[in-house]
């Protein structure tokens, strides 16, 4: 069977996608699969490399360019060149797609729709779940309906803000108290997110978020720990132990996650067993609320008084060497290699189950 690993993409999380793809390719069982790398450039060009028989030597070798320069060496010394293709060219028999794309055009249901049209099995959530999980406003409404606690929030669109900024400020300051967090509705990895402690910072934070999306959500800031749960499965749902992101900085932003890497992960988190059970229950509820399948990481806030609030879900969480999702399953006794294999198996099972109906 051929595994088509698609990575890169046009979103602000392009570089994160390359790191994740490199990590996953290193752990695929090459004795079972041929691996075909497909790189989407920042401009949206699709480049296909030759089928791999072994992992690439280093992650950045996956950053292909079209032409003779577009080659990378595997551990065994083989080379492959990037050839421009159309997205539909990935279709073929005995093929499963492993999309390692974060953010818009990759994690939001758009590319999942392409796979559905091409009738290909693919790893991860489907169109609806991906769209729901990516959109912070839509997911918050679903979580409300599911009865999962969350902090107060104020959503708005760019047109309303440009028309009457004062009205938006009044809504925010009349509903929330500083500090607040301003987020683009459709973005991940803390891209475009800012903390605001006054009106001046709020204005700057909104302008920053509007660079990434026309829909914005402002959330109440709280003093809380950040804990996360990994979810794995289709109709049968499994949840991991709870892990905690221990921060040196006050705000776990993009730089702290991927550049400075000043955070540490505590697995399992030092929390009471009954609180852990509640968080895992909420994670499963959130997974079902968005109609999840394959995998999701659910992020929560935990206060000193043991109150739990859902923050967001990630339908394609990072798989870098310091990512929480694979480490949570490692704590449950599932190795990285076996986790990748299980995700492929779940993709094929979902596809076969649907075609058997």
């Amino acid at each position: 069977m051929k595994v088509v690993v698609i990575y890169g993409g046009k979103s602000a999380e392009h570089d994160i996608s390359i790191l994740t793809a490199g990590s996953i390719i290193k752990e695929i069982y090459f004795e079972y699969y041929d691996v075909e790398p497909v790189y989407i450039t920042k401009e949206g060009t699709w480049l296909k490399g030759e089928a791999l028989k072994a992992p690439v030597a280093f992650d950045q070798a996956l950053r292909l360019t079209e032409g003779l320069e577009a080659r990378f060496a595997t551990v065994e010394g083989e080379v492959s060149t990037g050839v421009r293709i159309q997205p539909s060219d990935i279709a073929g028999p005995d093929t499963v797609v492993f999309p390692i794309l974060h953010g818009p055009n990759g994690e939001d249901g758009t590319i999942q729709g392409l796979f559905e049209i091409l009738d290909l099995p693919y790893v991860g959530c489907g169109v609806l779940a991906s769209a729901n999980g990516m959109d912070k406003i839509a997911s918050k409404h679903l979580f409300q309906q599911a009865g999962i606690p969350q902090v107060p929030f104020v959503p708005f669109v760019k047109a309303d803000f440009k028309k009457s900024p004062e009205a938006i400020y009044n809504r925010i300051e009349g509903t929330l108290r500083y500090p607040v967090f301003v987020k683009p509705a459709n973005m991940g990895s803390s891209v475009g997110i800012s903390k605001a402690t006054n009106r001046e910072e709020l204005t700057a934070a909104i302008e920053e978020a509007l660079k990434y999306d026309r829909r914005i959500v402002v959330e109440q800031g709280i003093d809380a720990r950040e804990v996360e749960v990994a979810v794995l499965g289709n109709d049968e749902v499994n949840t991991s132990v709870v892990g905690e992101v221990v921060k040196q900085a006050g705000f776990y932003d993009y730089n702290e996650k991927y550049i400075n890497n000043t955070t540490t992960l505590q697995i399992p988190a030092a929390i009471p067993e009954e609180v852990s059970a509640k968080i895992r229950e909420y994670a499963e509820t959130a997974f079902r609320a968005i109609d999840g399948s394959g995998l999701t990481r659910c992020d929560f806030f935990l206060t000193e008084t043991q109150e739990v609030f859902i923050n967001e879900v990630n339908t394609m969480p990072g798989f870098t060497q310091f990512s929480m999702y694979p480490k949570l399953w490692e704590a449950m006794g599932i190795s990285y290699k076996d986790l990748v294999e299980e995700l492929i198996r779940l993709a094929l099972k979902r596809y076969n189950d649907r075609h058997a109906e």
Side-chain angles (χ1 to χ4, degrees):
M1 176 165 282
K2 178 172 64 178
V3 178
V4 177
V5 179
I6 302 180
Y7 58 97
K10 296 171 66 175
S11 85
E13 299 174 78
H14 181 98
D15 292 342
I16 302 165
S17 173
I18 294 174
L19 293 175
T20 303
S23 298
I24 288 176
I25 288 173
K26 287 183 176 70
E27 301 298 337
I28 288 178
Y29 283 108
F30 279 89
E31 55 266 44
Y32 301 148
Y33 308 106
D34 286 336
V35 178
E36 186 173 88
V38 174
Y39 173 55
I40 303 176
T41 69
K42 290 183 178 180
E43 294 72 35
T45 301
W46 289 50
L47 299 174
K48 181 181 74 173
E50 295 179 359
L52 301 176
K53 304 296 183 181
V56 294
F58 56 99
D59 297 341
Q60 291 307 310
L62 294 170
R63 195 186 296 272
L64 299 179
T65 56
E66 192 174 7
L68 294 178
E69 301 82 16
R71 59 188 180 182
F72 52 84
T74 66
V75 170
E76 296 179 351
E78 300 173 359
V79 297
S80 180
T81 57
V83 177
R84 185 185 293 237
I85 63 169
Q86 295 299 315
S88 58
D89 291 339
I90 65 173
D94 297 321
T95 297
V96 60
V97 181
F98 206 134
I100 313 300
L101 296 162
H102 304 298
N105 299 314
E107 198 177 348
D108 59 358
T110 50
I111 202 165
Q112 287 77 14
L114 170 67
F115 304 147
E116 294 287 352
I117 291 171
L118 297 177
D119 195 29
L120 287 171
Y122 57 95
V123 170
C125 288
V127 176
L128 179 63
S130 298
N132 285 335
M134 188 69 196
D135 191 295
K136 293 180 174 63
I137 297 173
S139 61
K140 285 180 179 298
H141 291 313
L142 289 172
F143 299 153
Q144 279 184 329
Q145 292 295 318
I148 307 173
Q150 54 191 328
V151 298
F153 64 95
V154 174
F156 64 90
V157 297
K158 180 178 182 179
D160 290 342
F161 179 72
K162 295 301 182 182
K163 179 180 178 181
S164 179
E166 194 65 27
I168 299 299
Y169 291 140
N170 289 339
R171 278 182 56 200
I172 295 169
E173 294 174 339
T175 305
L176 312 175
R177 64 181 186 277
Y178 292 109
V180 298
F181 286 89
V182 182
K183 304 179 179 182
N186 277 279
M187 192 57 66
S189 297
S190 296
V191 174
I193 297 179
S194 303
K195 180 180 180 180
T197 60
N198 54 49
R199 172 72 72 90
E200 181 180 0
E201 292 180 0
L202 177 63
T203 302
I206 291 174
E207 292 295 341
E208 176 66 17
L210 287 173
K211 295 177 183 177
Y212 300 95
D213 200 355
R214 49 177 284 275
R215 299 169 66 247
I216 306 299
V217 60
V218 183
E219 299 176 357
Q220 177 63 62
I222 60 172
D223 185 12
R225 299 157 67 182
E226 295 186 24
V227 295
E228 302 177 349
V229 177
V231 183
L232 183 67
N234 291 336
D235 293 331
E236 296 182 6
V237 181
N238 298 289
T239 58
S240 72
V241 296
V242 180
E244 180 176 2
V245 179
V246 182
K247 303 172 292 183
Q248 294 182 19
F251 171 37
Y252 187 40
D253 63 7
Y254 179 93
N255 286 336
E256 297 306 321
K257 283 184 177 181
Y258 298 105
I259 308 300
N260 300 331
N261 192 25
T262 59
T263 60
T264 58
L265 306 180
Q266 182 171 338
I267 303 174
I271 59 177
E273 184 176 342
E274 63 274 15
V275 176
S276 176
K278 181 190 298 184
I279 293 171
R280 294 175 71 172
E281 180 182 348
Y282 284 151
E284 180 175 345
T285 301
F287 184 79
R288 297 190 185 281
I290 67 168
D291 191 32
S293 58
L295 74 162
T296 290
R297 195 193 70 230
C298 298
D299 302 348
F300 297 88
F301 297 125
L302 178 63
T303 69
E304 288 186 355
T305 57
Q306 306 304 310
E307 289 182 288
V308 177
F309 300 99
I310 192 166
N311 178 19
E312 61 183 10
V313 296
N314 293 270
T315 56
M316 185 51 71
F319 269 82
T320 62
Q321 66 271 25
F322 44 83
S323 292
M324 178 70 89
Y325 188 86
K327 287 186 174 295
L328 287 171
W329 288 115
E330 184 180 345
M332 299 287 288
I334 301 177
S335 70
Y336 199 122
K337 277 186 177 293
D338 288 339
L339 178 59
V340 171
E341 176 63 19
E342 177 65 8
L343 290 171
I344 294 172
R345 188 194 69 80
L346 287 168
L348 293 170
K349 185 177 188 306
R350 180 182 62 186
Y351 178 85
N352 291 331
D353 288 347
R354 288 180 57 183
H355 283 69
E357 294 175 356

